[in-house]
Amino acid sequence: MPISLDDPKKLRQLRDQAHQVAMNMLRPISRTYDRAEHEYPKELDLLAAMIDGISESGASSGAGASGVKREDADDEGSGVKNGTNLASVLGIAEMCWGDVGLLLSLPRQGLGNSAIASVGDADQQARFGDVWASMAITEPDTGSDSAGIRTTAVLDGDEYVLNGEKIFVTSGDRSDAVVVWATLDKDLGRAAIKSFVVPKGTPGMTVERLEHKLGIRASDTATIRFDDCRVPVANLLGSPDIDTSQGFAGAMATFDNTRPLVAAMAVGCAQAALDLTRDLLDRAGVTVDYDRPAVVQSAAAAKFLQMEADWEAARLLMLQAAWMADNRKANAMEASMAKAKAGRMASDVTLSCVELCGSVGYSEGELLEKWARDSKILDIFEGTQQIQQLIVARRVLGLSSAELK
Ligand SMILES: Cc1cc2nc3c(=O)[nH]c(=O)nc-3n(C[C@H](O)[C@H](O)[C@H](O)COP(=O)(O)OP(=O)(O)OC[C@H]3O[C@@H](n4cnc5c(N)ncnc54)[C@H](O)[C@@H]3O)c2cc1C
């Protein structure tokens, strides 16, 4: 059977709707909230209500991070499934064609929501299904090496007591709850790291400050302290057991679902830059001819063709990683490949588009310079380029994290 590289038919309507939303609701306010850093984009409340309505009607919204999960049944017995993960990457890519920072600010679609969807049990998914959850892993002394986190969770009666500091928490100020990674026992290493849902307003949880950033300025990025902050035992996501044979498996499972989403953000942002650059080149008299080899075309057209090929490779890896998640296939390596390829591609492509368009690309008259700034984070958060490559190398070579650091 030939491989079809088209988007699945049943998801095309969702993709097209997301594109319309991005064009009509995100693009018009994109520059405004790039300039008004730390101001909440109130227009997103309407959009979030629309997405809630679509979700309540039983259809997957596909607009944010909350939909991703591992599902049990396959599609009408066909054996394969195009499910919520694929819907989410297609929807997110379109929304990020509109604006990455605004997508990251969408209520109830935070990366903490995908942690709840990925690791939480049915009761937790019901209890926290409506909350907007951010994700707090990074600490002042621990970024890439998330096994080294120092925030502690100590069992006291029917509550856990959290102590520590989290930095660079996306939507950490605006979200209704924070999914916090903390260790139950530092001596037991990574297996003792669990995630806890901490609702906003819980005594002992304090948002200390917001960052000023290169890009995604519409998105708030917070430092949060936890001082004797108590949460019910039922707020620990997944199993409280410490299974040292499983290593990091529990908490890390979230990344298998969230990394394809970040790849989708990169694909969408780069697509925006390519679309505008094609248009600007066309207006400047440079036509990209798909029927002739790149080497016989102008340097600008050849560069454009090479960027599109790079974009397509990233997009296919994104689709593969999401499809594998929908079909309950282990996808840790493919999720890292997609994130590594797409993160680097988006940085390269958006900056090359600025270069190709010269002064028009560099000035604020167009959004190209903004996309070049916005895209850089996609190669950093949810694991940097270098960390994704390390994960892929370990898998390919069959080495453990202790053997290849
Ligand atoms: C805007 C923004 C939003 C963020 N949002 C969140 C969020 O919502 N939640 C959250 O928990 N965190 C978030 N982060 C944090 C982000 O995930 C970390 O910045 C990232 O994981 C890198 O950690 P670090 O900054 O400590 O860099 P470091 O880990 O100190 O790395 C510095 C450099 O060294 C490289 N490096 C590190 N280890 C290795 C190695 N073993 N081999 C090769 N190279 C290596 C890295 O790739 C990087 O280039 C956010 C960060 C930013 C800037």
Side-chain angles (χ1 to χ4, degrees), residues 40-173:
Y40 175 64
K42 53 192 179 316
E43 294 86 346
L44 295 181
D45 286 339
L46 174 64
L47 182 51
M50 283 166 54
I51 293 169
D52 288 347
I54 296 170
S55 301
E56 275 159 26
S57 74
S60 163
S61 72
S66 64
V68 294
K69 55 171 89 81
R70 301 265 152 169
E71 288 166 299
D72 292 327
D74 60 29
D75 246 0
E76 293 118 32
S78 66
V80 293
K81 178 174 181 64
N82 294 321
T84 51
N85 290 276
L86 201 61
S88 293
V89 292
L90 290 173
I92 282 178
E94 292 303 334
M95 295 290 276
C96 290
W97 178 90
D99 192 291
V100 178
L102 291 170
L103 179 277
L104 286 167
S105 307
L106 258 182
R108 295 177 287 286
Q109 303 295 333
L111 288 172
N113 291 94
S114 60
I116 294 167
S118 302
V119 188
D121 60 27
D123 170 58
Q124 289 166 333
Q125 294 192 22
R127 275 197 298 139
F128 302 122
D130 294 339
V131 305
W132 177 5
S134 52
M135 181 88 171
I137 304 169
T138 308
E139 299 180 356
D141 296 316
T142 308
S144 296
D145 180 18
S146 38
I149 64 171
R150 294 184 183 180
T151 297
T152 53
V154 176
L155 187 62
D156 182 24
D158 53 6
E159 292 177 323
Y160 284 105
V161 185
L162 303 183
N163 277 290
E165 185 180 15
K166 295 291 178 181
I167 59 173
F168 287 99
V169 183
T170 297
S171 303
D173 187 35

Side-chain angles (χ1 to χ4, degrees), residues 89 92-97 99-100 103-104 258-274 310-311 314-315 318 338-350 371 374-381 385:
V89 292
I92 282 178
E94 292 303 334
M95 295 290 276
C96 290
W97 178 90
D99 192 291
V100 178
L103 179 277
L104 286 167
T258 55
R259 285 176 176 156
L261 302 183
V262 179
M265 295 174 200
V267 165
C269 185
Q271 168 85 72
L274 287 170
D310 207 18
W311 176 86
R315 180 175 167 280
M318 166 199 88
K339 163 83 169 69
K341 176 70 187 174
R344 175 174 288 177
M345 176 280 298
S347 288
D348 289 352
V349 162
T350 52
W371 294 327
D374 286 350
S375 64
K376 190 60 216 172
I377 190 58
L378 305 172
D379 206 26
I380 297 176
F381 68 9
Q385 171 71 223

Side-chain angles (χ1 to χ4, degrees), residues 236-294:
L236 182 154
L237 293 176
S239 165
D241 299 335
I242 301 172
D243 179 355
T244 43
S245 68
Q246 282 278 310
F248 228 159
M252 273 286 172
T254 309
F255 285 137
D256 301 345
N257 288 350
T258 55
R259 285 176 176 156
L261 302 183
V262 179
M265 295 174 200
V267 165
C269 185
Q271 168 85 72
L274 287 170
D275 285 352
L276 179 55
T277 300
R278 189 191 298 104
D279 197 30
L280 291 169
L281 287 178
D282 198 46
R283 279 189 250 160
V286 177
T287 310
V288 181
D289 186 344
Y290 291 90
D291 292 328
R292 292 192 311 138

